[in-house]
Amino acid sequence: MTVTLAAILLSLAGIVLLTATDPKRRRVFGLPDAKHRPAVLACLLILAPGVALLIAGQSAAFVMWLAAVPLAGWALAAIPPGALGRKR
């Protein structure tokens, strides 16, 4: 269970990085352009935990990761930028 949670959190970090630097999302919400967009790093952060789970033979953990990562991506896409900061 701990391995699964670590893989999900690592992939979530990549999704947050992509969400924060997405040019279209920033333009729609009136934010300035991001200085740089580390898309390769973000994609590596998103996909590497799944590959590692498969190599380690953790098939149940892989299925849980495979379900949680898209769900987290949709949840982050639904939240407007700055909404988390205003709620605090």
Side-chain angles (χ1 to χ4, degrees):
M1 186 67 171
T2 306
V3 174
T4 308
L5 186 59
I8 291 169
L9 290 176
L10 193 59
S11 293
L12 187 61
I15 293 171
V16 167
L17 185 61
L18 278 179
T19 303
T21 59
D22 182 37
K24 184 176 182 180
R25 180 177 171 85
R26 295 182 71 81
R27 185 175 54 248
V28 166
F29 287 104
L31 298 172
D33 290 339
K35 300 292 182 208
H36 55 73
R37 185 163 192 235
V40 174
L41 173 64
C43 290
L44 186 65
L45 280 173
I46 294 170
L47 298 175
V51 173
L53 289 173
L54 283 176
I55 290 172
Q58 300 284 330
S59 58
F62 176 76
V63 171
M64 287 186 275
W65 172 84
L66 193 60
V69 170
L71 182 65
W74 276 101
L76 281 174
I79 300 171
L84 294 176
R86 286 192 302 262
K87 288 182 182 177
R88 290 182 187 174

